[in-house]
Amino acid sequence: QQADAAVHEEQAKADLVAAAKMFEKMDAAAAAKMLASLETQSIVDLLLSMNSESASKILSNMNSKTAATVLSQMMAQRS
């Protein structure tokens, strides 16, 4: 049972990294628009899985309220 949970968690991390890489390759404005439809925690997880340059470009293309909420949550998770 623990082994199944570990496999599931590892697969979820791999899926997250794959999705983050896909968003990194997109135009930042298009990526921001798509990410804005997700829950805040999903956006945070994706952005934290990206390189900081891509994440900052995407954040700069989000509306200010969404960007502030996401950035605040990102900072809280890193502490």
Side-chain angles (χ1 to χ4, degrees), residues 15-70:
D15 291 345
L16 180 67
V17 169
K21 287 183 185 209
M22 179 189 68
F23 281 109
E24 282 180 324
K25 292 178 182 178
M26 293 176 68
D27 172 71
K33 186 175 180 179
M34 290 180 74
L35 287 175
S37 67
L38 300 176
E39 292 182 13
T40 302
Q41 187 58 51
S42 296
I43 299 170
V44 169
D45 292 341
L46 283 162
L47 292 177
L48 288 175
S49 297
M50 294 179 189
N51 67 56
S52 59
E53 184 179 341
S54 295
S56 65
K57 285 179 181 178
I58 291 170
L59 268 173
S60 72
N61 279 279
M62 291 182 170
N63 74 51
S64 58
K65 184 177 179 180
T66 302
T69 301
V70 168

